Amino acid sequence: MKGLDKNGIAKRIAAELQDGYYVNLGIGIPTLIANFIPSGINVTLQSENGLLGMGPFPTEEQVDADLINAGKQTVTTLDGSAIFDSAMSFAMIRSGRVDLTVLGAMQVSEQGDIANWKIPGKMVKGMGGAMDLVAGADNIIVAMTHTNRKGDSKLLKSCTLPLTGTNCIKKVVTNLGVFEIKEGAFVLLEKAPGISIDEIAQSTEGKLHADQNVPEIIF
Amino acid sequence: MSKVVENANQAIKGIESGMTLMLGGFGLCGIPENTISALAASEVKDLTCISNNAGVDDFGIGLMLQNKQVKKMISSYVGENQEFERQLLSGELEVDLIPQGTLAERIRATGAGIPAFFTPAGYGTEVAENKEIREFDGKNYILEYSFKSDFAIVKAWKGDTAGNLIFKGTARNFNPMMAMAGKITIAEVEELVPAGELDPNFIHIPGIFVNTIFQGTDYEKRIEQRTVRNS
């Protein structure tokens, strides 16, 4: 993969975290962000199956089948954690209490639409909580590779896959750079180290606004 | 009249073919293991099951799928089950996929006497097709309805003879709202105690919502993703 690896994408998104944030991290690259929370700030992780204040994986002795995250992994609680039912969990999400949501995606459009749950002709597993998360949160960052395995751009004029939500994504971090979605275009905010604007333009099907002097991502 | 029965076989009397059941749990966490086993060993079929997930091939609702007792699943995510996929592709099984928060709220509404509500989840997607859309304060919402379910089957950590329930950890998930949403609610608990032993201040679901309760046995509590750290 050109540019950043998965950990690099996670590390860059971790730089967006602020002290006091409640954050929901999706499965895949977003999960890695928990490993890069900047020191000196306090961030509370929300897991939509009903846990606020998600701790690290348990030790062998701590494993509890009754304590898992939304990815069905065994986890722990922390001092200050709270447990609640699924309706209350999505009440937090829809009412905008969660400050930041980070999701993976298969496609994002220049209008801020996202597709990440269904590929026609393939087994449909379901949307889980993704549609509620994108409809409820104000601050959503998509973490994904810039192109798919075939090399096709995932930053598009309009999504071709079934949508998860419309007009809801404001920021995308890929292996090639950091993009803000604004007025129907992907605005390049930072490029990945060693990546040229030409390379980014070639891999971006949607409208791209890129200043020649755009800075590189600094960790 | 006592709510207490001896075991799952007694609890499921009254569940008939063609009924709609709600079953608690998230993945395999907090599922009513005893009652599912009893249903899988029974003759009931053509069930509509409302449950966030559909179990795995050899555990949870997967056991009922193996026996072809399920006609329709209403869930948010069903990706962990090959038999499910086979029956879905062959047309033997219907599935209705619902955003998880909408599923939770539809169940909550059922138990709260609310027939319908507006939610933003799914607006602009295929989930919104053929549904009423309304704008509030410049944002679009879709109309979603409560469910009708004949039985709700939940799993709690502790319960008492009055039917009061306390859940543990993230095994809580969909169980409390489902306990409120069944026309008849069956609760299986790890520990059943006499009324008076549970502190009323710490009851999660009051006994008014629970019709039948029993102490389950031999909980397997299977873990789907056992993730550990070294120290």
Short mmCIF file of all heavy atoms in Angstrom, two decimals, chain A residues 57-60 62-68 71-74 83 85-87 90 94 117-118 123-128 131-132 135 163-164, chain B residues 29 53 76-78 85 97-102 105 119-121 125-127 139 168-174 177 221 225-229 231:
data_model
loop_
_atom_site.label_atom_id
_atom_site.label_comp_id
_atom_site.label_asym_id
_atom_site.label_seq_id
_atom_site.Cartn_x
_atom_site.Cartn_y
_atom_site.Cartn_z
N PHE A 57 -8.20 -5.20 26.24
CA PHE A 57 -8.52 -6.63 26.30
C PHE A 57 -8.16 -7.14 27.70
O PHE A 57 -7.25 -6.63 28.33
CB PHE A 57 -7.72 -7.40 25.25
CG PHE A 57 -8.08 -7.07 23.83
CD1 PHE A 57 -7.13 -7.13 22.82
CD2 PHE A 57 -9.37 -6.71 23.49
CE1 PHE A 57 -7.45 -6.83 21.51
CE2 PHE A 57 -9.71 -6.41 22.18
CZ PHE A 57 -8.74 -6.47 21.18
N PRO A 58 -8.87 -8.16 28.18
CA PRO A 58 -8.58 -8.69 29.51
C PRO A 58 -7.33 -9.57 29.50
O PRO A 58 -6.90 -10.03 28.44
CB PRO A 58 -9.82 -9.56 29.79
CG PRO A 58 -10.27 -10.00 28.43
CD PRO A 58 -9.98 -8.86 27.50
N THR A 59 -6.76 -9.78 30.68
CA THR A 59 -5.77 -10.85 30.81
C THR A 59 -6.53 -12.17 30.78
O THR A 59 -7.75 -12.19 30.89
CB THR A 59 -5.00 -10.73 32.14
OG1 THR A 59 -5.94 -10.87 33.21
CG2 THR A 59 -4.30 -9.38 32.26
N GLU A 60 -5.79 -13.24 30.64
CA GLU A 60 -6.41 -14.57 30.60
C GLU A 60 -7.33 -14.76 31.82
O GLU A 60 -8.44 -15.29 31.70
CB GLU A 60 -5.31 -15.64 30.57
CG GLU A 60 -5.74 -17.00 30.07
CD GLU A 60 -6.23 -17.00 28.62
OE1 GLU A 60 -5.51 -16.54 27.71
OE2 GLU A 60 -7.35 -17.47 28.43
N GLN A 62 -8.85 -12.44 33.57
CA GLN A 62 -9.97 -11.49 33.63
C GLN A 62 -11.08 -11.80 32.62
O GLN A 62 -12.14 -11.18 32.67
CB GLN A 62 -9.47 -10.07 33.33
CG GLN A 62 -8.57 -9.47 34.40
CD GLN A 62 -7.99 -8.13 33.93
OE1 GLN A 62 -7.66 -7.96 32.75
NE2 GLN A 62 -7.86 -7.19 34.84
N VAL A 63 -10.85 -12.72 31.69
CA VAL A 63 -11.81 -12.94 30.61
C VAL A 63 -13.20 -13.23 31.17
O VAL A 63 -13.36 -14.07 32.05
CB VAL A 63 -11.37 -14.11 29.70
CG1 VAL A 63 -12.50 -14.54 28.77
CG2 VAL A 63 -10.15 -13.72 28.89
N ASP A 64 -14.20 -12.47 30.69
CA ASP A 64 -15.57 -12.61 31.14
C ASP A 64 -16.48 -12.65 29.91
O ASP A 64 -16.54 -11.69 29.15
CB ASP A 64 -15.92 -11.40 32.04
CG ASP A 64 -17.36 -11.45 32.55
OD1 ASP A 64 -18.12 -12.35 32.15
OD2 ASP A 64 -17.71 -10.55 33.35
N ALA A 65 -17.15 -13.78 29.71
CA ALA A 65 -18.02 -13.94 28.53
C ALA A 65 -19.14 -12.90 28.52
O ALA A 65 -19.72 -12.62 27.47
CB ALA A 65 -18.61 -15.35 28.51
N ASP A 66 -19.44 -12.33 29.67
CA ASP A 66 -20.52 -11.34 29.76
C ASP A 66 -20.01 -9.92 29.55
O ASP A 66 -20.73 -8.95 29.86
CB ASP A 66 -21.20 -11.42 31.14
CG ASP A 66 -21.98 -12.71 31.33
OD1 ASP A 66 -22.47 -13.26 30.33
OD2 ASP A 66 -22.09 -13.16 32.48
N LEU A 67 -18.79 -9.78 29.06
CA LEU A 67 -18.26 -8.43 28.84
C LEU A 67 -17.52 -8.39 27.50
O LEU A 67 -16.34 -8.73 27.41
CB LEU A 67 -17.33 -8.03 30.00
CG LEU A 67 -17.05 -6.54 30.11
CD1 LEU A 67 -18.33 -5.74 30.32
CD2 LEU A 67 -16.10 -6.25 31.25
N ILE A 68 -18.25 -7.97 26.47
CA ILE A 68 -17.68 -7.92 25.12
C ILE A 68 -17.94 -6.55 24.50
O ILE A 68 -18.74 -5.77 25.01
CB ILE A 68 -18.26 -9.02 24.20
CG1 ILE A 68 -19.77 -8.85 24.00
CG2 ILE A 68 -17.95 -10.41 24.76
CD1 ILE A 68 -20.35 -9.72 22.89
N GLY A 71 -17.62 -5.65 18.47
CA GLY A 71 -16.99 -6.62 17.57
C GLY A 71 -16.97 -8.02 18.16
O GLY A 71 -16.33 -8.91 17.64
N LYS A 72 -17.67 -8.19 19.29
CA LYS A 72 -17.80 -9.46 20.01
C LYS A 72 -16.49 -9.93 20.61
O LYS A 72 -16.30 -11.10 20.92
CB LYS A 72 -18.42 -10.54 19.11
CG LYS A 72 -19.91 -10.27 18.88
CD LYS A 72 -20.38 -10.63 17.51
CE LYS A 72 -21.76 -10.07 17.25
NZ LYS A 72 -22.10 -9.99 15.84
N GLN A 73 -15.54 -8.99 20.77
CA GLN A 73 -14.27 -9.31 21.43
C GLN A 73 -14.43 -9.13 22.94
O GLN A 73 -15.12 -8.22 23.40
CB GLN A 73 -13.18 -8.35 20.96
CG GLN A 73 -12.89 -8.44 19.47
CD GLN A 73 -11.98 -7.31 19.02
OE1 GLN A 73 -12.20 -6.15 19.33
NE2 GLN A 73 -10.93 -7.66 18.28
N THR A 74 -13.74 -9.97 23.72
CA THR A 74 -13.74 -9.78 25.17
C THR A 74 -12.98 -8.50 25.50
O THR A 74 -11.92 -8.22 24.93
CB THR A 74 -13.07 -10.99 25.86
OG1 THR A 74 -11.86 -11.32 25.18
CG2 THR A 74 -13.98 -12.20 25.84
N ILE A 83 -22.63 0.58 32.10
CA ILE A 83 -23.23 -0.43 31.24
C ILE A 83 -24.73 -0.15 31.15
O ILE A 83 -25.35 0.26 32.13
CB ILE A 83 -22.95 -1.84 31.80
CG1 ILE A 83 -21.48 -2.19 31.56
CG2 ILE A 83 -23.86 -2.88 31.17
CD1 ILE A 83 -20.97 -3.36 32.34
N ASP A 85 -28.52 -0.72 28.31
CA ASP A 85 -29.12 -1.54 27.27
C ASP A 85 -28.94 -0.91 25.89
O ASP A 85 -28.48 0.23 25.76
CB ASP A 85 -30.59 -1.83 27.59
CG ASP A 85 -31.45 -0.57 27.58
OD1 ASP A 85 -31.41 0.18 26.58
OD2 ASP A 85 -32.18 -0.33 28.56
N SER A 86 -29.31 -1.66 24.86
CA SER A 86 -29.08 -1.23 23.48
C SER A 86 -29.90 0.00 23.12
O SER A 86 -29.45 0.82 22.31
CB SER A 86 -29.42 -2.37 22.52
OG SER A 86 -28.61 -3.49 22.81
N ALA A 87 -31.11 0.15 23.66
CA ALA A 87 -31.92 1.32 23.34
C ALA A 87 -31.27 2.58 23.90
O ALA A 87 -31.20 3.62 23.22
CB ALA A 87 -33.34 1.16 23.90
N PHE A 90 -28.16 3.57 21.75
CA PHE A 90 -28.45 4.31 20.52
C PHE A 90 -29.13 5.65 20.80
O PHE A 90 -29.11 6.53 19.95
CB PHE A 90 -29.21 3.43 19.53
CG PHE A 90 -28.29 2.44 18.87
CD1 PHE A 90 -28.14 1.17 19.38
CD2 PHE A 90 -27.52 2.81 17.78
CE1 PHE A 90 -27.25 0.27 18.81
CE2 PHE A 90 -26.64 1.94 17.19
CZ PHE A 90 -26.49 0.66 17.71
N ARG A 94 -27.90 8.72 18.66
CA ARG A 94 -28.78 9.55 17.83
C ARG A 94 -28.90 10.97 18.36
O ARG A 94 -29.12 11.90 17.59
CB ARG A 94 -30.18 8.92 17.73
CG ARG A 94 -30.29 7.77 16.76
CD ARG A 94 -31.76 7.40 16.58
NE ARG A 94 -32.38 7.20 17.87
CZ ARG A 94 -32.53 6.01 18.47
NH1 ARG A 94 -32.18 4.93 17.86
NH2 ARG A 94 -33.06 5.93 19.66
N TRP A 117 -22.05 -1.20 3.76
CA TRP A 117 -22.71 -2.37 4.38
C TRP A 117 -23.13 -3.46 3.41
O TRP A 117 -23.39 -4.58 3.83
CB TRP A 117 -23.90 -1.93 5.21
CG TRP A 117 -25.14 -1.53 4.44
CD1 TRP A 117 -25.34 -0.36 3.77
CD2 TRP A 117 -26.33 -2.30 4.27
NE1 TRP A 117 -26.59 -0.36 3.20
CE2 TRP A 117 -27.22 -1.54 3.50
CE3 TRP A 117 -26.74 -3.56 4.71
CZ2 TRP A 117 -28.49 -1.98 3.14
CZ3 TRP A 117 -28.01 -4.01 4.35
CH2 TRP A 117 -28.87 -3.22 3.58
N LYS A 118 -23.16 -3.19 2.12
CA LYS A 118 -23.78 -4.18 1.24
C LYS A 118 -23.15 -4.13 -0.15
O LYS A 118 -22.98 -3.05 -0.71
CB LYS A 118 -25.27 -3.85 1.14
CG LYS A 118 -26.09 -4.80 0.33
CD LYS A 118 -27.56 -4.40 0.40
CE LYS A 118 -28.42 -5.36 -0.40
NZ LYS A 118 -29.84 -5.00 -0.33
N MET A 123 -23.25 -12.09 -0.17
CA MET A 123 -24.03 -12.32 1.05
C MET A 123 -24.14 -11.02 1.84
O MET A 123 -23.15 -10.35 2.11
CB MET A 123 -23.32 -13.38 1.89
CG MET A 123 -23.88 -13.55 3.28
SD MET A 123 -25.59 -14.13 3.34
CE MET A 123 -25.90 -14.05 5.10
N VAL A 124 -25.36 -10.67 2.18
CA VAL A 124 -25.59 -9.46 2.96
C VAL A 124 -25.57 -9.82 4.44
O VAL A 124 -26.35 -10.65 4.89
CB VAL A 124 -26.95 -8.83 2.59
CG1 VAL A 124 -27.17 -7.57 3.41
CG2 VAL A 124 -27.00 -8.52 1.12
N LYS A 125 -24.65 -9.20 5.17
CA LYS A 125 -24.55 -9.54 6.59
C LYS A 125 -25.39 -8.61 7.46
O LYS A 125 -25.74 -8.94 8.57
CB LYS A 125 -23.09 -9.46 7.02
CG LYS A 125 -22.24 -10.53 6.36
CD LYS A 125 -20.81 -10.50 6.83
CE LYS A 125 -20.06 -11.72 6.31
NZ LYS A 125 -18.71 -11.79 6.86
N GLY A 126 -25.69 -7.44 6.93
CA GLY A 126 -26.49 -6.49 7.71
C GLY A 126 -25.71 -5.23 8.01
O GLY A 126 -24.49 -5.21 7.94
N MET A 127 -26.45 -4.19 8.38
CA MET A 127 -25.82 -2.89 8.62
C MET A 127 -25.40 -2.71 10.06
O MET A 127 -24.69 -1.77 10.37
CB MET A 127 -26.75 -1.75 8.19
CG MET A 127 -28.03 -1.61 9.00
SD MET A 127 -29.19 -2.98 8.75
CE MET A 127 -29.99 -2.51 7.23
N GLY A 128 -25.82 -3.62 10.95
CA GLY A 128 -25.50 -3.42 12.37
C GLY A 128 -25.91 -2.02 12.79
O GLY A 128 -27.01 -1.57 12.46
N MET A 131 -25.91 2.58 10.28
CA MET A 131 -26.85 3.60 9.79
C MET A 131 -27.27 4.55 10.91
O MET A 131 -27.45 5.75 10.67
CB MET A 131 -28.09 2.93 9.19
CG MET A 131 -27.82 2.31 7.85
SD MET A 131 -29.36 1.84 7.06
CE MET A 131 -28.72 1.09 5.55
N ASP A 132 -27.41 4.02 12.12
CA ASP A 132 -27.75 4.88 13.26
C ASP A 132 -26.58 5.82 13.58
O ASP A 132 -26.78 7.00 13.88
CB ASP A 132 -28.06 4.03 14.48
CG ASP A 132 -29.04 2.91 14.19
OD1 ASP A 132 -30.24 3.15 14.26
OD2 ASP A 132 -28.59 1.80 13.84
N ALA A 135 -26.27 8.59 10.93
CA ALA A 135 -27.40 9.52 10.95
C ALA A 135 -27.40 10.38 12.21
O ALA A 135 -27.96 11.48 12.21
CB ALA A 135 -28.72 8.73 10.86
N LEU A 163 -26.32 2.77 -0.18
CA LEU A 163 -25.86 3.74 0.81
C LEU A 163 -26.13 3.30 2.24
O LEU A 163 -27.09 2.60 2.53
CB LEU A 163 -26.55 5.08 0.57
CG LEU A 163 -26.23 5.80 -0.73
CD1 LEU A 163 -27.04 7.08 -0.83
CD2 LEU A 163 -24.74 6.08 -0.84
N THR A 164 -25.27 3.78 3.12
CA THR A 164 -25.47 3.64 4.56
C THR A 164 -26.05 4.94 5.12
O THR A 164 -26.83 4.92 6.08
CB THR A 164 -24.13 3.32 5.26
OG1 THR A 164 -23.53 2.21 4.60
CG2 THR A 164 -24.32 3.02 6.73
N CYS B 29 -23.65 -13.29 23.43
CA CYS B 29 -23.56 -12.73 24.78
C CYS B 29 -24.97 -12.43 25.31
O CYS B 29 -25.70 -11.64 24.70
CB CYS B 29 -22.73 -11.46 24.73
SG CYS B 29 -22.43 -10.68 26.32
N ASN B 53 -28.94 -10.83 16.31
CA ASN B 53 -28.12 -11.71 15.48
C ASN B 53 -28.81 -13.07 15.38
O ASN B 53 -29.80 -13.30 16.04
CB ASN B 53 -26.71 -11.86 16.08
CG ASN B 53 -26.11 -10.52 16.45
OD1 ASN B 53 -26.26 -10.07 17.58
ND2 ASN B 53 -25.47 -9.87 15.51
N SER B 76 -30.19 -7.16 12.93
CA SER B 76 -29.38 -6.08 12.34
C SER B 76 -28.11 -6.61 11.69
O SER B 76 -27.54 -5.97 10.81
CB SER B 76 -29.00 -5.03 13.41
OG SER B 76 -27.86 -5.39 14.13
N TYR B 77 -27.65 -7.80 12.12
CA TYR B 77 -26.40 -8.33 11.58
C TYR B 77 -26.40 -9.85 11.72
O TYR B 77 -26.61 -10.37 12.81
CB TYR B 77 -25.21 -7.73 12.32
CG TYR B 77 -23.88 -8.08 11.70
CD1 TYR B 77 -23.37 -7.35 10.63
CD2 TYR B 77 -23.15 -9.17 12.17
CE1 TYR B 77 -22.17 -7.69 10.05
CE2 TYR B 77 -21.93 -9.51 11.59
CZ TYR B 77 -21.46 -8.77 10.53
OH TYR B 77 -20.25 -9.12 9.95
N VAL B 78 -26.16 -10.54 10.61
CA VAL B 78 -26.32 -11.99 10.62
C VAL B 78 -25.11 -12.71 10.01
O VAL B 78 -25.22 -13.82 9.49
CB VAL B 78 -27.60 -12.41 9.84
CG1 VAL B 78 -28.83 -11.94 10.57
CG2 VAL B 78 -27.57 -11.84 8.42
N GLU B 85 -26.86 -18.48 5.81
CA GLU B 85 -26.59 -18.02 4.45
C GLU B 85 -27.16 -19.01 3.42
O GLU B 85 -27.78 -18.62 2.44
CB GLU B 85 -25.07 -17.88 4.27
CG GLU B 85 -24.67 -17.35 2.92
CD GLU B 85 -23.18 -17.00 2.86
OE1 GLU B 85 -22.51 -17.04 3.90
OE2 GLU B 85 -22.71 -16.72 1.75
N LEU B 97 -33.52 -7.02 7.52
CA LEU B 97 -32.39 -6.38 8.19
C LEU B 97 -32.75 -4.96 8.57
O LEU B 97 -33.24 -4.19 7.74
CB LEU B 97 -31.16 -6.40 7.28
CG LEU B 97 -30.58 -7.80 7.03
CD1 LEU B 97 -29.54 -7.75 5.92
CD2 LEU B 97 -29.98 -8.37 8.30
N ILE B 98 -32.49 -4.62 9.81
CA ILE B 98 -32.93 -3.34 10.39
C ILE B 98 -31.74 -2.70 11.08
O ILE B 98 -31.00 -3.39 11.78
CB ILE B 98 -34.05 -3.61 11.42
CG1 ILE B 98 -35.26 -4.22 10.70
CG2 ILE B 98 -34.43 -2.36 12.18
CD1 ILE B 98 -36.37 -4.60 11.64
N PRO B 99 -31.54 -1.39 10.92
CA PRO B 99 -30.45 -0.73 11.66
C PRO B 99 -30.57 -1.03 13.16
O PRO B 99 -31.68 -1.02 13.71
CB PRO B 99 -30.67 0.75 11.37
CG PRO B 99 -31.39 0.78 10.06
CD PRO B 99 -32.28 -0.44 10.07
N GLN B 100 -29.43 -1.29 13.78
CA GLN B 100 -29.45 -1.78 15.16
C GLN B 100 -30.17 -0.86 16.14
O GLN B 100 -30.91 -1.32 17.02
CB GLN B 100 -28.01 -2.02 15.62
CG GLN B 100 -27.91 -2.85 16.85
CD GLN B 100 -26.46 -3.16 17.20
OE1 GLN B 100 -26.04 -2.90 18.31
NE2 GLN B 100 -25.71 -3.67 16.25
N GLY B 101 -29.97 0.44 15.98
CA GLY B 101 -30.64 1.39 16.87
C GLY B 101 -32.13 1.44 16.63
O GLY B 101 -32.93 1.61 17.56
N THR B 102 -32.53 1.29 15.36
CA THR B 102 -33.95 1.25 15.03
C THR B 102 -34.58 -0.02 15.58
O THR B 102 -35.68 0.00 16.14
CB THR B 102 -34.15 1.33 13.50
OG1 THR B 102 -33.59 2.56 13.04
CG2 THR B 102 -35.61 1.25 13.11
N GLU B 105 -34.99 0.48 19.28
CA GLU B 105 -36.06 1.43 19.60
C GLU B 105 -37.44 0.88 19.26
O GLU B 105 -38.41 1.17 19.97
CB GLU B 105 -35.79 2.76 18.87
CG GLU B 105 -36.64 3.93 19.36
CD GLU B 105 -36.38 4.34 20.81
OE1 GLU B 105 -35.37 3.91 21.40
OE2 GLU B 105 -37.22 5.07 21.36
N THR B 119 -37.19 8.29 13.19
CA THR B 119 -35.74 8.18 13.45
C THR B 119 -34.98 8.62 12.20
O THR B 119 -35.45 8.41 11.08
CB THR B 119 -35.34 6.74 13.83
OG1 THR B 119 -33.92 6.68 14.03
CG2 THR B 119 -35.70 5.74 12.75
N PRO B 120 -33.79 9.21 12.38
CA PRO B 120 -33.00 9.61 11.21
C PRO B 120 -32.27 8.43 10.55
O PRO B 120 -31.83 8.55 9.41
CB PRO B 120 -31.99 10.60 11.81
CG PRO B 120 -31.81 10.15 13.23
CD PRO B 120 -33.17 9.63 13.65
N ALA B 121 -32.14 7.31 11.27
CA ALA B 121 -31.30 6.21 10.76
C ALA B 121 -31.88 5.62 9.49
O ALA B 121 -33.04 5.21 9.47
CB ALA B 121 -31.15 5.13 11.83
N THR B 125 -31.47 5.86 2.27
CA THR B 125 -30.99 4.52 1.91
C THR B 125 -32.17 3.62 1.59
O THR B 125 -33.33 4.02 1.73
CB THR B 125 -30.21 3.88 3.08
OG1 THR B 125 -31.14 3.42 4.07
CG2 THR B 125 -29.25 4.88 3.72
N GLU B 126 -31.88 2.38 1.21
CA GLU B 126 -32.97 1.46 0.87
C GLU B 126 -33.85 1.14 2.08
O GLU B 126 -34.98 0.70 1.91
CB GLU B 126 -32.42 0.19 0.24
CG GLU B 126 -31.54 -0.64 1.14
CD GLU B 126 -30.98 -1.87 0.42
OE1 GLU B 126 -30.40 -1.70 -0.67
OE2 GLU B 126 -31.14 -2.98 0.95
N VAL B 127 -33.33 1.37 3.28
CA VAL B 127 -34.12 1.15 4.50
C VAL B 127 -35.35 2.07 4.52
O VAL B 127 -36.39 1.73 5.08
CB VAL B 127 -33.24 1.38 5.75
CG1 VAL B 127 -34.07 1.54 7.01
CG2 VAL B 127 -32.26 0.23 5.92
N LYS B 139 -34.13 18.51 9.30
CA LYS B 139 -33.52 17.18 9.12
C LYS B 139 -34.61 16.17 8.83
O LYS B 139 -35.71 16.26 9.37
CB LYS B 139 -32.76 16.81 10.41
CG LYS B 139 -31.98 15.52 10.33
CD LYS B 139 -31.04 15.37 11.53
CE LYS B 139 -30.42 13.97 11.55
NZ LYS B 139 -29.42 13.81 12.60
N LYS B 168 -26.16 -8.58 33.97
CA LYS B 168 -24.74 -8.42 34.28
C LYS B 168 -23.96 -8.11 33.00
O LYS B 168 -24.14 -8.78 31.97
CB LYS B 168 -24.18 -9.69 34.91
CG LYS B 168 -22.68 -9.69 35.12
CD LYS B 168 -22.23 -10.94 35.87
CE LYS B 168 -20.75 -11.20 35.68
NZ LYS B 168 -20.43 -11.92 34.45
N GLY B 169 -23.09 -7.11 33.10
CA GLY B 169 -22.18 -6.78 32.00
C GLY B 169 -22.94 -6.46 30.71
O GLY B 169 -24.11 -6.04 30.73
N THR B 170 -22.26 -6.67 29.58
CA THR B 170 -22.91 -6.40 28.30
C THR B 170 -23.83 -7.54 27.87
O THR B 170 -24.34 -7.53 26.75
CB THR B 170 -21.87 -6.12 27.20
OG1 THR B 170 -20.99 -7.25 27.14
CG2 THR B 170 -21.07 -4.87 27.51
N ALA B 171 -24.07 -8.50 28.78
CA ALA B 171 -25.13 -9.48 28.53
C ALA B 171 -26.50 -8.84 28.68
O ALA B 171 -27.53 -9.46 28.44
CB ALA B 171 -24.99 -10.67 29.47
N ARG B 172 -26.51 -7.56 29.08
CA ARG B 172 -27.77 -6.83 29.19
C ARG B 172 -28.36 -6.58 27.79
O ARG B 172 -29.47 -6.96 27.49
CB ARG B 172 -27.55 -5.50 29.91
CG ARG B 172 -28.86 -4.83 30.22
CD ARG B 172 -28.78 -3.51 30.96
NE ARG B 172 -27.80 -3.37 32.01
CZ ARG B 172 -27.77 -2.33 32.84
NH1 ARG B 172 -28.68 -1.37 32.74
NH2 ARG B 172 -26.84 -2.23 33.76
N ASN B 173 -27.63 -5.88 26.97
CA ASN B 173 -27.96 -5.55 25.56
C ASN B 173 -29.46 -5.42 25.26
O ASN B 173 -30.10 -4.47 25.72
CB ASN B 173 -27.21 -6.48 24.60
CG ASN B 173 -27.46 -7.96 24.79
OD1 ASN B 173 -28.56 -8.44 24.62
ND2 ASN B 173 -26.39 -8.69 25.14
N PHE B 174 -30.03 -6.32 24.48
CA PHE B 174 -31.44 -6.21 24.07
C PHE B 174 -32.41 -6.80 25.09
O PHE B 174 -33.62 -6.69 24.93
CB PHE B 174 -31.65 -6.90 22.72
CG PHE B 174 -31.15 -6.10 21.54
CD1 PHE B 174 -29.80 -6.12 21.20
CD2 PHE B 174 -32.01 -5.31 20.80
CE1 PHE B 174 -29.33 -5.38 20.13
CE2 PHE B 174 -31.55 -4.57 19.72
CZ PHE B 174 -30.21 -4.61 19.39
N MET B 177 -35.27 -4.40 27.05
CA MET B 177 -36.38 -3.90 26.23
C MET B 177 -37.28 -5.05 25.78
O MET B 177 -38.48 -4.90 25.67
CB MET B 177 -35.90 -3.16 24.98
CG MET B 177 -35.06 -1.95 25.23
SD MET B 177 -33.35 -2.45 25.20
CE MET B 177 -33.11 -2.80 23.47
N LYS B 221 -22.05 -20.07 27.87
CA LYS B 221 -21.52 -18.71 27.63
C LYS B 221 -20.36 -18.72 26.65
O LYS B 221 -19.24 -18.31 26.97
CB LYS B 221 -21.09 -18.06 28.95
CG LYS B 221 -22.23 -17.82 29.91
CD LYS B 221 -21.79 -16.86 31.00
CE LYS B 221 -22.90 -16.61 32.00
NZ LYS B 221 -22.49 -15.66 33.03
N GLN B 225 -15.12 -14.02 20.08
CA GLN B 225 -13.78 -13.50 19.80
C GLN B 225 -13.04 -13.38 21.13
O GLN B 225 -13.16 -12.36 21.81
CB GLN B 225 -13.86 -12.11 19.14
CG GLN B 225 -14.70 -12.05 17.88
CD GLN B 225 -13.98 -12.64 16.69
OE1 GLN B 225 -12.76 -12.75 16.67
NE2 GLN B 225 -14.75 -13.03 15.68
N ARG B 226 -12.32 -14.41 21.48
CA ARG B 226 -11.59 -14.39 22.74
C ARG B 226 -10.30 -13.59 22.54
O ARG B 226 -9.36 -14.05 21.93
CB ARG B 226 -11.27 -15.81 23.17
CG ARG B 226 -10.72 -15.92 24.58
CD ARG B 226 -10.30 -17.35 24.87
NE ARG B 226 -9.84 -17.44 26.25
CZ ARG B 226 -10.64 -17.72 27.27
NH1 ARG B 226 -11.91 -17.96 27.06
NH2 ARG B 226 -10.16 -17.75 28.50
N THR B 227 -10.28 -12.34 23.00
CA THR B 227 -9.12 -11.49 22.82
C THR B 227 -8.52 -11.21 24.18
O THR B 227 -9.23 -10.80 25.11
CB THR B 227 -9.54 -10.16 22.15
OG1 THR B 227 -10.72 -9.68 22.77
CG2 THR B 227 -9.81 -10.35 20.68
N VAL B 228 -7.23 -11.43 24.34
CA VAL B 228 -6.56 -11.22 25.63
C VAL B 228 -5.27 -10.44 25.43
O VAL B 228 -4.75 -10.36 24.32
CB VAL B 228 -6.24 -12.56 26.34
CG1 VAL B 228 -7.50 -13.31 26.72
CG2 VAL B 228 -5.33 -13.43 25.48
N ARG B 229 -4.80 -9.85 26.52
CA ARG B 229 -3.47 -9.22 26.51
C ARG B 229 -2.58 -9.99 27.46
O ARG B 229 -3.06 -10.78 28.28
CB ARG B 229 -3.58 -7.75 26.88
CG ARG B 229 -3.98 -7.48 28.32
CD ARG B 229 -4.29 -6.01 28.54
NE ARG B 229 -5.34 -5.87 29.53
CZ ARG B 229 -5.10 -5.58 30.81
NH1 ARG B 229 -3.89 -5.39 31.27
NH2 ARG B 229 -6.11 -5.47 31.66
N SER B 231 -0.30 -9.00 29.98
CA SER B 231 -0.16 -8.71 31.40
C SER B 231 -1.22 -7.73 31.86
O SER B 231 -1.80 -7.03 31.06
CB SER B 231 1.20 -8.13 31.68
OG SER B 231 1.40 -6.97 30.89
#
